[in-house]
Amino acid sequence: MSVSQAASLISTLNKLHEFLAQKNCRAYIVGGFIRDWFSGKQSNDVDIAVEGNALSIADEVSKNFNGRFVLLDEVNGIARVIIDKEHERHFDFCSFSGNIESDLVQRDFTIDAMAVELGQLTEASQLNPLDPFHGRKDLENKVIRAVSDQVFANDAVRLLRGVRLAAEFDFTIEPTTETLIRLHCKSIAEVANERVREELLRLFNLPHTAYYLHYLDKLGLLTAVVPELAESKGVEQPTAHFWDVFEHSRQTVACAEFLIRENTWAYGNEEMLATTPWSDIIEAHLSQEVSGGSNRKSLLKLGALFHDIAKPKTKTLDDTGRARFLGHTKEGATMTASILERLRFSHREIDLVEKLVYHHLRPAQMSNEGLPTQRAIYRYFRDTGDAGIDILFLALADYLASRGPLVNMEAWRKNCQLANYVLMEHGKQQSRTAPLKFIDGNDIMKTFYLTSGPLIGKLLAMVHEAQASGEISNKEEALALVQNILKKKTIN
């Protein structure tokens, strides 16, 4: 956090202190903000424990500070106030009764069980927090330790939070806490799905997601959150696949991280990356925010995890005993949408991940041999929309995760050649069609004496496809194409 940002935040906290003091409301900064402050990390999320009704106090704060009130957990009395649109600062309010020490004993991990009275925050070197569980020592030793054996029974979202904190800070969960997580893992199903989504997305935003998915599975948490994944364990695939469906899915996440330059892959090398499509434009595309807490990279990894989710349901054996998974992309897209709806993902997030799953085989199907036609490329991006680039990367990750350590470099280069060609030609098609349009609906109706209706839209779509494919280059050729279509009646 820069000096100016820190000063601005401290100023806001002091104003909050003055406001609450006028109401005789004691308040403390608690939890992760103090941990991050000692670690030198920038954080715009501040947990504030208040004496009294936290929901009512948060509502008053939002009104008096021109903020936005967000109810996070009505049962546990937790609310968020978003103040300062420029820095998007989140102040999460919860209640304590008695003394602050009684609140700290209810917290999750020792590194989060420290408190500073609101209004006393100046500089990290001057902080002398209440620290009854030696959180600063665990912070120095890089250890995640539960405050007590009741932490997960009191709030089961902490099961995911412990793993997410270990991933964020590269800390180790100490053995007793690991044992407690395994003991309580099924309780995650009782947590509000909005809170589960938030923890999952924060994990998927990190560069070691695949590793921690494996860790979540060891702890019993992954299939507790997404029971549908359990069905893929032990589901064998044809010999072209090195792993069963479950491990293949996790490895696809690892390969996606490798291809988007977030992480290494155990079986990857520099030559693989050198042939993979990459540019500043692709980097910018995949870094785009999709919804609160997610971007295209995190959702690409989520799509990688779910892309074969329907294989267990669709598995059949042909006459030779070879496993087939007919329709698994369509069924998988439906299952994925259902899972993400359950977990309260946004419509935009669901739409993107659903497209990833539904179309992940499409790049390999664009041509039987050689490079795809201009029309095939046009139709691919027409059907996939702004997910076309994302799907190409999922298809490449899927290929690597299918072969694993047996990846054939010649075959890999051909896959990358296809992806590079599709991206290059798509760019050319975009330049041919934007912003120039040879004809519009009025031209068609006037020239061919047609009335407005669905036919006009279909004719314009066919003209646009021909223009993108380079088959026509002016208005006369566009009208001639329409005349030929109408004459031959080759429109559905």
Side-chain angles (χ1 to χ4, degrees), residues 285-484:
H285 172 80
L286 293 175
S287 298
Q288 290 174 3
E289 180 180 319
V290 176
S291 193
S294 68
N295 61 22
R296 288 182 176 275
K297 288 181 179 179
S298 58
L299 297 180
L300 171 62
K301 290 189 280 186
L302 198 60
L305 179 63
F306 291 149
H307 77 285
D308 282 345
I309 191 80
K311 275 193 170 179
K313 182 183 289 189
T314 59
K315 183 176 181 179
T316 59
L317 299 177
D318 63 18
D319 294 339
T320 66
R322 184 175 183 270
R324 305 291 299 274
F325 304 97
L326 299 177
H328 81 276
T329 56
K330 182 178 180 180
E331 181 65 28
T334 301
M335 289 178 66
T336 296
S338 177
I339 292 166
L340 297 184
E341 285 170 4
R342 182 177 75 225
L343 294 174
R344 300 296 190 269
F345 279 73
S346 72
H347 291 304
R348 289 191 66 201
E349 291 166 334
I350 294 171
D351 180 65
L352 176 55
V353 182
E354 192 176 7
K355 283 180 179 176
L356 286 166
V357 174
Y358 186 82
H359 292 289
H360 76 269
L361 295 180
R362 183 77 176 269
Q365 298 168 342
M366 291 176 74
S367 63
N368 292 325
E369 57 182 55
L371 297 173
T373 66
Q374 290 294 315
R375 283 185 175 269
I377 294 170
Y378 174 84
R379 290 171 181 173
Y380 169 75
F381 283 98
R382 179 197 65 192
D383 296 343
T384 60
D386 66 352
I389 295 174
D390 316 58
I391 294 163
L392 285 174
F393 275 85
L394 175 54
L396 290 172
D398 186 21
Y399 174 82
L400 286 182
S402 296
R403 277 64 174 178
L406 305 180
V407 169
N408 179 286
M409 284 305 300
E410 182 179 354
W412 172 245
R413 282 189 287 271
K414 288 182 179 179
N415 276 269
C416 290
Q417 180 188 21
L418 171 67
N420 277 300
Y421 179 76
V422 168
L423 289 170
M424 180 179 66
E425 294 304 312
H426 174 58
K428 292 179 182 178
Q429 290 184 359
Q430 285 185 309
S431 67
R432 283 195 289 263
T433 58
L436 180 64
K437 291 184 178 179
F438 296 147
I439 59 174
D440 59 23
N442 289 326
D443 293 320
I444 294 176
M445 289 187 286
K446 182 178 178 180
T447 304
F448 300 103
Y449 305 103
L450 298 173
T451 56
S452 179
L455 175 62
I456 305 301
K458 292 179 180 180
L459 288 167
L460 284 172
M462 296 176 79
V463 169
H464 191 272
E465 180 175 335
Q467 181 181 349
S469 303
E471 298 171 15
I472 58 175
S473 57
N474 54 50
K475 180 176 181 178
E476 290 71 25
E477 291 178 356
L479 290 172
L481 174 64
V482 173
Q483 184 178 37
N484 191 44

